[in-house]
Amino acid sequence: MIRFALTRLALLLVGLLVASALIFVTLRVLPGDVAQVIAGTDGTPEQVQAIRESLGLNQPLLAQYGDWLGGILTGDLGRSMLTGASVTSELVEKSQVTIPLAVLSLAIALVIAIPLGILSALKHRSITGSAMSMASQAIAAVPVVWAGMLLVVVFAVGLGWFPPQGFPRDGWEAPGRALYSLVLPALTIGVVEGAVLLRFIRSAALEALGQDYVRTAAAKGLTRTRALVTHGMPNVALTVVSVLALQIAGLLVGAVIIEQLFNLPGIGRMLVTDVGNRDLEKVQGDVLVLTGLVLIIGTVVDIVARAIDPRQREVSA
């Protein structure tokens, strides 16, 4: 188990290094010139060249990448080419919106998916089970932006229960208002992701119900529900843990869209703005952090799944 964990951590470091190189190179080959953006439409070629030199854009790409990578190792993701602000500081500030949004969305997804997924499996031969299965398929196919607009129309415009957009200017100094402003965006992501997760849990529960040890427990007098909960839940839990990496990646992607839709000052909205401004230093920092979060979570999920699955532990032994 320890060897597996160390191997996964080594692969994580390699993955982060490769990701940083790909992000850096990709942004440099895209059309556009940040120096021209800073100089404006009236900037002379001499002014543009001076800006390029001041930003270090005239250096070889390998030297630029080395400087950026060296900064990353010390926790410095660089400074905005347009404002000079610290990329690390801005990411920390914006994460105070994005991370709570992702955590709340994940909590909503799990609350929806786990009980309904198990119930759908237990009643898979009934009209109720079939209806739940079809509903989850339909909801999972809905683009998150459509779901967001629908919820805004119903709960914000129609019922007036939640604000349609925005986040308190004083942020988490007023925790009640801040959390209240995230409920509708989190519900948008959580419902869609919960429908996807429900499908996996239903399949895992159905598989567990077909196992001999669950059927034996039912034959000894336990109800199918109790037999599944008592003896089949480890299989369901393993599925939940295994799918979480994909779910969290979906949550982060959904957050980029939802922050735009609900006008939330998070990392996703900042990323879209930075791309439009051709602020390379900030864009590569934003994308690296989001990519790193996905890789780190995937690694943790793999290690946890290996730890709770006795079959995998036996193979690794």
Side-chain angles (χ1 to χ4, degrees):
M1 182 61 200
I2 295 177
R3 184 174 64 180
F4 174 78
L6 292 175
T7 301
R8 291 297 293 129
L9 291 174
L11 291 175
L12 170 63
L13 294 177
V14 173
L16 288 172
L17 181 62
V18 172
S20 68
L22 290 175
I23 292 168
F24 182 87
V25 172
T26 300
L27 291 177
R28 292 310 186 279
V29 300
L30 291 176
D33 186 352
V34 66
Q36 185 66 64
V37 173
I38 296 173
T41 55
D42 297 330
T44 64
E46 291 76 16
Q47 291 174 326
V48 172
Q49 183 60 28
I51 293 173
R52 290 182 60 82
E53 291 178 359
S54 67
L55 295 176
L57 297 175
N58 60 327
Q59 297 180 8
L61 286 181
L62 190 59
Q64 293 183 46
Y65 175 68
D67 291 341
W68 183 52
L69 190 60
I72 291 173
L73 296 177
T74 61
D76 181 12
L77 292 170
R79 293 190 171 272
S80 168
M81 293 180 172
L82 299 180
T83 65
S86 168
V87 176
T88 303
S89 297
E90 292 214 21
L91 281 168
V92 170
E93 178 186 349
K94 302 301 182 183
S95 68
Q96 296 177 28
V97 175
T98 300
I99 291 179
L101 174 60
V103 171
L104 186 57
S105 301
L106 181 60
I108 292 173
L110 291 173
V111 168
I112 291 172
I114 293 176
L116 294 184
I118 293 173
L119 180 62
S120 177
L122 290 168
K123 296 185 176 296
H124 69 282
R125 291 192 178 94
S126 68
I127 296 177
T128 301
S130 299
M132 293 174 63
S133 178
M134 288 188 291
S136 66
Q137 284 183 314
I139 295 173
V142 175
V144 68
V145 67
W146 289 9
M149 290 188 291
L150 178 61
L151 292 179
V152 166
V153 170
V154 175
F155 294 104
V157 178
L159 298 174
W161 290 356
F162 302 101
Q165 283 189 330
F167 191 77
R169 290 191 176 183
D170 49 2
W172 291 99
E173 293 180 8
R177 291 175 53 213
L179 184 62
Y180 185 63
S181 68
L182 293 180
V183 171
L184 197 56
L187 190 63
T188 301
I189 303 174
V191 167
V192 176
E193 293 296 326
V196 176
L197 183 58
L198 188 153
R199 302 290 302 167
F200 287 99
I201 293 176
R202 179 180 183 273
S203 297
L206 282 174
E207 182 181 353
L209 285 170
Q211 297 297 320
D212 291 339
Y213 54 84
V214 174
R215 290 203 299 264
T216 300
K220 289 182 177 180
L222 293 181
T223 63
R224 292 176 73 245
T225 302
R226 189 169 180 181
L228 175 61
V229 171
T230 304
H231 301 283
M233 284 307 294
N235 281 350
V236 178
L238 182 61
T239 297
V240 172
V241 170
S242 301
V243 175
L244 275 183
L246 298 176
Q247 290 293 106
I248 293 174
L251 289 174
L252 293 175
V253 173
V256 173
I257 301 171
I258 291 303
E259 286 177 3
Q260 287 291 108
L261 179 63
F262 287 92
N263 196 27
L264 297 174
I267 295 175
R269 185 180 172 199
M270 181 176 69
L271 174 60
V272 173
T273 302
D274 294 339
V275 170
N277 292 335
R278 282 287 299 175
D279 195 341
L280 297 182
E281 199 77 12
K282 283 190 69 180
V283 172
Q284 62 192 17
D286 300 343
V287 176
L288 181 63
V289 168
L290 291 174
T291 304
L293 285 174
V294 173
L295 292 176
I296 291 170
I297 291 168
T299 299
V300 172
V301 168
D302 281 350
I303 294 174
V304 172
R306 177 62 66 98
I308 66 177
D309 187 359
R311 294 169 299 179
Q312 295 190 34
R313 292 201 302 269
E314 288 172 5
V315 171
S316 62

